[in-house]
Amino acid sequence: MSDILVAVGSVTSATRLVKRLAKYGDTKARVINTPARLSGGGCSYSVTASLSSEQFIRKNIQGITVKGIYIEEFAGGERIYHDIS
């Protein structure tokens, strides 16, 4: 099963996006630390959500600094990220 991962500029932005997704009805949305292979070092935050929320996210990211949007898949016990920014 695939999810969407949105890398954002701050924990405040991540929290804002999760609240918007909750109002939309995405119960999977949550704040996480950005996976190391995507963050390039340092602390950063991301939001994971249902893949079905992709269009909602793209239309509702005003005021949120987005560093990247990815599809997260599991293959062979490993997480794979596809950039769809």
Side-chain angles (χ1 to χ4, degrees), residues 4-7 54 58 66-71 82-85:
I4 193 164
L5 185 137
V6 183
E54 178 187 355
R58 290 185 184 279
V66 174
K67 295 181 176 181
I69 301 175
Y70 306 88
I71 293 177
H82 304 282
D83 190 343
I84 59 168
S85 301

Side-chain angles (χ1 to χ4, degrees), residues 12-59:
T12 302
S13 293
T15 302
R16 256 189 229 139
L17 183 54
V18 167
K19 286 180 181 179
R20 291 176 191 179
L21 286 160
K23 286 182 182 178
Y24 174 68
D26 189 334
T27 58
K28 286 183 78 175
R30 62 189 174 93
V31 177
I32 64 165
N33 289 326
T34 302
R37 67 184 99 160
L38 299 178
S39 69
C43 292
S44 62
Y45 297 91
S46 292
V47 172
T48 61
S50 300
L51 186 56
S52 60
S53 296
E54 178 187 355
Q55 291 306 312
F56 176 84
I57 291 167
R58 290 185 184 279
K59 292 178 183 176

